[in-house]
Amino acid sequence: MISIPPPFYRQQLGAAEACAWAQYVNMCLRATAHDHVLRMAPLFHLPIEHPAVALALLEELVTQARFKGVALAAGGLDGIDYADPALDPIWRMLDAAQAFVFLHPGRCCDGRLAPFYLENLLGNPYETAVAATQL
């Protein structure tokens, strides 16, 4: 499974820009996996910070033959709450598709952790734990 790295999540984008960005990176993931079809499958990017956009993209993706799952940002923005009822249709669709869901921290919002690269050591596990708990 291949996915884009967290710096490419671009969580600060508005809804329209996030949609265009996700379509672009998902096309690139699809092309890369296609070149190595026996060894790779894409984990598509969904801009979860924009639930309506993420749902529309997911509706297109699940119809594709090679759809296996998605990679979602865990944290990175204060507004991301996986328990938000606005995300329920996404969770139902992923469940119905028996999709693999990879939670990867976008970035830690706690500036105190910047020194000594503690954003990775402490912040990333924290953001992932919060996202998993909300699920």
Side-chain angles (χ1 to χ4, degrees), residues 78-104:
D78 288 336
I80 294 179
D81 179 356
Y82 281 169
D84 184 343
L87 298 176
D88 286 350
I90 294 170
W91 305 135
R92 282 194 297 274
M93 189 173 294
L94 288 168
D95 185 51
Q98 296 181 330
F100 179 82
V101 177
F102 176 50
L103 298 178
H104 196 296

Side-chain angles (χ1 to χ4, degrees), residues 11-93:
Q11 294 176 277
Q12 76 284 1
L13 296 176
E17 296 85 5
C19 182
W21 176 248
Q23 289 172 327
Y24 172 73
V25 297
N26 288 340
M27 176 190 66
C28 293
L29 286 167
R30 192 178 299 110
T32 300
H34 177 72
D35 291 345
H36 306 281
V37 70
L38 297 177
R39 296 181 8 203
M40 293 184 186
L43 287 176
F44 293 106
H45 173 64
L46 293 180
I48 202 74
E49 57 276 4
H50 302 290
V53 170
L55 180 60
L57 290 168
L58 183 59
E59 287 171 343
E60 293 176 22
L61 292 170
V62 297
T63 64
Q64 298 177 14
R66 294 203 63 225
F67 177 77
K68 301 287 187 215
V70 297
L72 302 175
L77 290 177
D78 288 336
I80 294 179
D81 179 356
Y82 281 169
D84 184 343
L87 298 176
D88 286 350
I90 294 170
W91 305 135
R92 282 194 297 274
M93 189 173 294

